[in-house]
Amino acid sequence: MRTISPVKEKEAARIMSATETPAVRTSVAPRPQGTSQEGRHVIQIENFNFFYGSKQALTDIDLRIKERHVTAFIGPSGCGKSTLLRCLNRMNDLIDGIRMTGTITVEGQDIYAPGVDVVDIRKRLGMVFQKSNPFPKSIFENVVYGLRIQGVNNRAVLREACETSLKGAALWEEVKDRLDESALGLSGGQMQRLCIARALAVQPEVVLMDEPCSALDPIATAKIEELIFSLKEKFTIVIVTHNMQQAARVSDETGFFMLGKLVEFGKTDTIFTRPKEKMTEDYITGRFG
Amino acid sequence: MNRFIRSGDPFIWVTGSALAFALLLVAGLLGLVLVSGLGFFWPRSMVEISLADGRKLAGSIEARERIPDPQSGKKTTGSWRFKLKQGNRDLYGSDFVWVDEKDVRERAYPKEIAVIERREWGAFHGRPLKVLEGETVVAEGVDRSWALLIQRLPAALSVYDQARRIEKDELGGINFKKEKIRLKRRSLELKGHSKGSALDALKAEEERLQKLFDKQMEALAALRGTVRTNVVFVSADGQEKQVALTNIVRAYRPNELSFFGRLGLYSSRLWEFVSEDPRESNTEGGVFPAIFGTVMMVFIMSLVVTPFGVLAAFYLREYARQGPFVSAVRIAVNNLAGVPSIVFGVFGLGFFVYIVGGSIDRLFFPEALPSPTYGTGGILWASLTLALLTVPVVIVATEEGLAAVPRGAREASLALGATKFETMWRVVLPAVFPSVLTGLILAMARAAGEVAPLMITGVVKLAPALPIDEFPPFFHLERKFMHLGFHIYDVGFQSPNVEAAQPMVYTTTILLLVVVVALNLTAIIVRNRLSKKLRTSGL
Ligand SMILES: Nc1ncnc2c1ncn2[C@@H]1O[C@H](COP(=O)(O)OP(=O)(O)O)[C@@H](O)[C@H]1O
Ligand SMILES: [Mg+2]
């Protein structure tokens, strides 16, 4: 990220003011006051270590994620952001030879405790991936996939859920007349919003997003950012990004990762304007990354 | 020099010529087969020749060559000979004769010389002398007799067709039911019933069938009696031969035909070839049962090999822990393709026919024993044997497809709360389907061309009935069947009349190729449809 000049105070302030670029400001509702200050902790990560075989990817992570807040993970490539995110809904279970210590609890439940239903965890923590990955099916079938998996087959229920989710993902107006067409005909930004709608359809508590805008153009990115903003009213959101302006624009709290360690975690304003750690400061002002 | 090689140009030439050479071989093979095969049905002009010794022959010239020198065996002598298709096998003993050109005194192309294709004894070459209705002469003289023959032939052909239908469908059906009753009675006897209402009912039913049978026989005789026309022909050397009109398939005067006349005749003979049963121990008539058998066998094989191969591939790629053992299994599967197909045939005979088929017979068809039902070669066992032979192809193709299913698609499904099984069923399986079809295409091509394993698991030279007919249970998978590949072998190398049968080798080869290409095209079209639907952008 060489777009940010190393003059830290002023520049960080300018990053913050990116939220006030006209494109975003005109259409985004003001932040709901109050909720962003307090809030229960939905997810608690304690003393968490994670290994791919013998390679340690995460070291001693302690982190709490607040309900109906947007939490951003930032950090250079390969620092373990995705790994941590994928640990939250146990997507890493699919990889051979992984090992972990410590606990992650969601609503007080240890998700790695024996006997926990992985499928249930994944229903509660939906995920949106870096590369949009719609199924080669119709738009409608994409959105209701999760419901069909749950055994819902009532056409009316599915229609209703489809509409709600697409509206929630700000895609309804664009696709309402072609729900039965293939999802693969959508544009990149639309596909990503479809993936968000698909995740919303199963009514998760938390939505995990792994660099959801990294493959999108600026306009599509702005739309998704607006969307994240509005989703915050209903869902807890964890977003991985290595676009710092994005983290500054959309998140309430930010964690900065480096080589598998959580260097600093706190309110986004604080992290971007008055970081405690030298490393954080260097990173957000663009000295490396 | 070194720089020249490094420039890469020679490599382009080498690769290009390798491809050109391969194409040339394929084109040459196809050309040979097409020319020799498709020319067979073209009606050639007839020549009537007088020989030095006074003999006269009529026929078409099929080949011409230098006479080899008897000492050296080299074909360098100045004299030529030609091969004449003289027909009249009943008079001369063989269809073909080699004639020295220096013996020929005279050649003529008379318009009125005719080819009479008969149901027995092959073609007759000659002229009609008179037409008889019963004992009375109704036409005399070459032209009058010919006109009457042509006029009455269609009716005779239709009577023949009706008679065939009665024989095959009505009488065949009755015989089929009678055999069922015999088996039922036998099975009752085996259970120790020697009297009782069940037996009486069977007896009554049998009598009813017998009456029906007699009635149909009478109808058949009556039908046959409607055509009592006989034609007396005379050959080029003056021998007379009487032929029943019902025994004539086709009659034409080749020297009189226009180009379109020939074309019409050509298509009618081609159509006969693909749509009719064979005659004269397969050297004449059609090959329809062989086409049917080949296609049906490939279908059954596909139905078996697809699920089997796909399931195996899923286990290997999705469930089995990847390691040396799975790699060994994979290598073994791949190398199964290198086992000689006759070995599969032997296995099929030993396992499917004797063990499985034998057990089925003992359990379900004891009344038919000692004559086997499933305990002998049949289309089911041949198809299963071929399925075994081709399953590695499907496994390999499916595995490759599975490896290519994007991880994003699987993760998306899992992240929505689907289990691994649901993900495979709803996302992976549809995505891998085009690859499965690719495997199936290769498997079908291999199976349709395979002959050796079939010879011991159910193929026959001449099958009395198709494996599908109108009698319940409609599919008779235990039946023996005919197959184009075996037909080629049989006609070409086992035929009593090799020279007459030789062109059939080519025509049958063409047909086999057409069948394989048609089956493949179908699969390819289906696959492309699916791929288009599945074409991924984001995945
Ligand atoms: N499936 C895997 N197997 C082994 N190592 C992995 C795997 N996925 C990621 N890693 C390693 O773990 C580290 C963290 O990766 P990741 O969480 O993807 O980083 P980030 O998302 O922050 O760029 C990297 O060094 C990466 O090479
Ligand atoms: Mg990542």
Side-chain angles (χ1 to χ4, degrees):
Chain A
M1 273 293 159
R2 288 278 156 207
T3 51
I4 301 166
S5 92
V7 188
K8 91 177 181 199
E9 282 277 345
K10 267 189 212 156
E11 277 311 305
R14 203 173 65 77
I15 294 166
M16 285 308 296
S17 72
T19 33
E20 295 179 1
T21 51
V24 177
R25 191 203 208 166
T26 46
S27 44
V28 170
R31 270 186 203 201
Q33 291 301 311
T35 51
S36 69
Q37 301 309 313
E38 298 101 287
R40 274 181 333 114
H41 291 125
V42 187
I43 302 176
Q44 302 201 12
I45 305 170
E46 274 164 27
N47 208 1
F48 192 73
N49 291 279
F50 187 88
F51 303 82
Y52 288 112
S54 57
K55 179 177 184 297
Q56 183 156 14
L58 294 172
T59 314
D60 290 334
I61 309 287
D62 282 288
L63 188 70
R64 291 162 165 216
I65 290 168
K66 280 188 189 156
E67 191 179 27
R68 296 189 194 184
H69 279 53
V70 178
T71 306
F73 294 170
I74 61 171
S77 268
C79 66
K81 310 178 292 288
S82 299
T83 303
L84 182 59
L85 194 75
R86 292 164 59 89
C87 284
L88 298 182
N89 70 344
R90 294 189 58 172
M91 283 301 281
N92 279 332
D93 287 16
L94 308 169
I95 299 166
D96 278 339
I98 54 152
R99 195 159 56 80
M100 67 201 89
T101 62
T103 54
I104 298 180
T105 56
V106 174
E107 299 283 7
Q109 179 194 19
D110 181 354
I111 60 169
Y112 283 101
V116 169
D117 182 6
V118 185
V119 167
D120 179 58
I121 297 293
R122 295 201 188 124
K123 273 181 211 155
R124 288 167 54 194
L125 292 95
M127 190 159 204
V128 177
F129 297 83
Q130 179 169 2
K131 264 171 124 187
S132 61
N133 48 6
F135 302 118
K137 299 171 188 267
S138 69
I139 294 173
F140 177 78
E141 285 301 328
N142 261 282
V143 177
V144 302
Y145 182 88
L147 294 173
R148 285 215 191 271
I149 290 292
Q150 291 175 18
V152 182
N153 273 319
N154 183 324
R155 193 84 191 156
V157 174
L158 292 178
R159 282 239 159 246
E160 160 111 41
C162 176
E163 183 174 342
T164 321
S165 316
L166 284 171
K167 279 182 177 156
L171 191 59
W172 175 248
E173 289 303 322
E174 288 159 66
V175 301
K176 66 180 175 194
D177 299 323
R178 47 171 177 152
L179 292 178
D180 291 323
E181 283 173 35
S182 167
L184 302 179
L186 296 173
S187 74
Q190 288 173 325
M191 279 197 208
Q192 194 60 296
R193 276 180 283 149
L194 179 68
C195 292
I196 294 175
R198 185 173 68 180
L200 299 184
V202 290
Q203 298 183 321
E205 297 156 27
V206 181
V207 181
L208 309 170
M209 300 185 175
D210 192 350
E211 305 195 24
C213 306
S214 65
L216 300 183
D217 60 71
I219 296 175
T221 303
K223 279 198 176 152
I224 301 243
E225 286 177 13
E226 272 172 49
L227 174 60
I228 291 172
F229 226 90
S230 63
L231 287 178
K232 191 164 76 165
E233 288 174 25
K234 279 198 194 148
F235 303 95
T236 306
I237 293 172
V238 184
I239 177 169
V240 167
T241 172
H242 61 234
N243 177 340
M244 276 164 297
Q245 285 132 320
Q246 186 172 63
R249 283 195 295 267
V250 302
S251 70
D252 302 304
E253 294 194 298
T254 300
F256 171 59
F257 291 78
M258 192 61 195
L259 299 173
K261 291 195 179 110
L262 179 60
V263 177
E264 192 169 346
F265 183 74
K267 291 230 170 58
T268 301
D269 315 21
T270 322
I271 296 270
F272 277 90
T273 52
R274 297 178 301 280
K276 288 196 200 75
E277 303 288 331
K278 175 88 172 71
M279 256 193 288
T280 320
E281 186 183 318
D282 288 349
Y283 181 72
I284 60 172
T285 52
R287 280 204 196 113
F288 66 89
Chain B
M1 182 60 210
N2 209 352
R3 254 187 67 196
F4 174 64
I5 288 179
R6 273 205 319 240
S7 74
D9 288 353
F11 192 61
I12 299 179
W13 298 336
V14 171
T15 51
S17 16
L19 179 68
F21 186 64
L23 285 182
L24 209 69
L25 283 180
V26 173
L29 185 69
L30 272 184
L32 172 75
V33 170
L34 283 177
V35 170
S36 319
L38 292 180
F40 174 55
F41 302 110
W42 189 256
R44 302 229 173 104
S45 296
M46 289 267 276
V47 58
E48 195 170 38
I49 52 178
S50 320
L51 297 178
D53 59 6
R55 271 194 302 147
K56 272 183 126 186
L57 296 171
S60 54
I61 295 176
E62 302 287 323
R64 185 167 178 263
E65 66 174 30
R66 266 178 212 278
I67 300 176
D69 184 19
Q71 250 85 59
S72 65
K74 282 194 195 118
K75 295 184 177 179
T76 47
T77 54
S79 48
W80 291 77
R81 65 180 182 182
F82 56 81
K83 185 160 96 175
L84 190 77
K85 184 167 190 226
Q86 59 178 353
N88 305 5
R89 194 160 70 230
D90 40 348
L91 301 181
Y92 306 143
S94 84
D95 278 310
F96 293 87
V97 64
W98 282 99
V99 180
D100 259 2
E101 283 191 355
K102 66 176 192 309
D103 295 339
V104 177
R105 288 281 165 276
E106 209 184 314
R107 295 188 192 205
Y109 294 87
K111 281 216 174 312
E112 78 283 359
I113 194 122
V115 176
I116 314 297
E117 288 178 19
R118 297 174 293 181
R119 297 192 199 280
E120 278 161 14
W121 297 109
F124 188 91
H125 295 179
R127 301 166 173 80
L129 267 191
K130 56 186 172 190
V131 179
L132 307 170
E133 180 72 35
E135 296 295 312
T136 51
V137 177
V138 287
E140 230 168 340
V142 173
D143 285 328
R144 285 234 201 92
S145 309
W146 178 254
L148 194 64
L149 163 65
I150 292 301
Q151 184 202 333
R152 290 202 176 175
L153 189 55
L157 286 175
S158 122
V159 165
Y160 178 82
D161 283 345
Q162 287 172 39
R164 271 286 296 149
R165 205 195 58 76
I166 292 181
E167 271 176 358
K168 266 190 107 157
D169 296 355
E170 310 294 340
L171 297 180
I174 291 171
N175 276 336
F176 185 79
K177 284 177 195 147
K178 273 164 94 177
E179 174 65 10
K180 280 230 149 137
I181 288 175
R182 188 187 73 81
L183 290 177
K184 262 189 211 153
R185 165 156 349 108
R186 176 101 181 93
S187 112
L188 283 178
E189 281 168 11
L190 282 180
K191 284 184 195 136
H193 305 275
S194 54
K195 278 200 186 69
S197 58
L199 272 173
D200 293 343
L202 285 181
K203 189 142 193 90
E205 177 67 9
E206 196 168 31
E207 271 160 19
R208 194 183 66 82
L209 282 174
Q210 186 58 45
K211 279 208 190 93
L212 220 60
F213 189 86
D214 295 342
K215 227 168 80 191
Q216 291 289 356
M217 283 301 273
E218 269 167 39
L220 194 62
L223 188 65
R224 291 224 167 102
T226 56
V227 182
R228 290 161 53 232
T229 312
N230 286 298
V231 187
V232 178
F233 293 97
V234 60
S235 69
D237 58 350
Q239 298 189 55
E240 286 190 13
K241 181 85 196 170
Q242 182 169 328
V243 180
L245 196 60
T246 45
N247 200 10
I248 296 177
V249 182
R250 206 179 271 116
Y252 57 95
R253 294 169 153 182
N255 295 349
E256 203 184 62
L257 285 174
S258 65
F259 175 76
F260 290 102
R262 282 171 203 246
L263 204 62
L265 202 56
Y266 179 83
S267 2
S268 116
R269 293 172 75 171
L270 193 63
W271 176 244
E272 180 196 6
F273 184 67
V274 296
S275 65
E276 294 281 318
D277 287 348
R279 297 195 309 263
E280 298 277 299
S281 65
N282 293 357
T283 60
E284 275 169 42
V287 292
F288 177 72
I291 301 178
F292 191 91
T294 308
V295 173
M296 183 164 167
M297 183 202 73
V298 170
F299 269 136
I300 300 177
M301 181 219 68
S302 306
L303 283 183
V304 176
V305 81
T306 312
F308 189 36
V310 169
L311 289 177
F314 262 83
Y315 187 83
L316 268 183
R317 174 69 59 178
E318 302 282 324
Y319 286 112
R321 179 173 289 278
Q322 304 299 316
F325 180 69
V326 166
S327 301
V329 170
R330 201 168 277 141
I331 292 172
V333 166
N334 290 354
N335 282 315
L336 267 188
V339 175
S341 53
I342 189 72
V343 175
F344 283 94
V346 173
F347 176 80
L349 179 71
F351 181 69
F352 292 128
V353 176
Y354 291 153
I355 298 185
V356 182
S359 315
I360 292 179
D361 276 1
R362 275 191 298 283
L363 287 174
F364 302 105
F365 303 100
E367 66 275 11
L369 287 173
S371 67
T373 311
Y374 278 92
T376 174
I379 192 164
L380 179 64
W381 302 141
S383 306
L384 289 186
T385 306
L386 284 188
L388 213 61
L389 181 85
T390 52
V391 78
V393 184
V394 178
I395 293 183
V396 170
T398 310
E399 267 210 89
E400 272 164 20
L402 283 174
V405 175
R407 225 181 65 183
R410 298 164 194 262
E411 289 194 332
S413 169
L414 291 167
L416 287 166
T419 61
K420 185 165 182 176
F421 171 73
E422 286 161 336
T423 302
M424 282 201 297
W425 183 249
R426 287 169 187 255
V427 177
V428 178
L429 190 61
V432 87
F433 217 75
S435 308
V436 174
L437 281 176
T438 303
L440 188 61
I441 288 168
L442 295 173
M444 287 197 307
R446 170 116 204 249
E450 201 60 72
V451 178
L454 304 181
M455 287 165 57
I456 48 178
T457 52
V459 139
V460 284
K461 178 187 172 75
L462 194 64
L466 295 178
I468 299 183
D469 60 21
E470 69 268 36
F471 307 119
F474 308 115
F475 290 86
H476 307 275
L477 299 183
E478 80 284 1
R479 282 190 187 163
K480 308 237 184 233
F481 67 110
M482 290 173 70
H483 180 269
L484 285 171
F486 181 73
H487 200 81
I488 293 172
Y489 168 73
D490 176 64
V491 166
F493 302 99
Q494 305 283 9
S495 169
N497 192 1
V498 175
E499 278 183 309
Q502 203 182 24
M504 304 267 287
V505 172
Y506 293 111
T507 44
T508 314
T509 308
I510 297 173
L511 261 185
L512 182 57
L513 287 178
V514 169
V515 166
V516 171
V517 169
L519 287 170
N520 275 357
L521 275 183
T522 321
I524 288 173
I525 290 169
V526 172
R527 182 185 62 184
N528 290 355
R529 284 253 173 89
L530 281 174
S531 306
K532 206 181 263 167
K533 249 172 85 185
L534 291 169
R535 183 131 52 231
T536 52
S537 50
L539 294 182

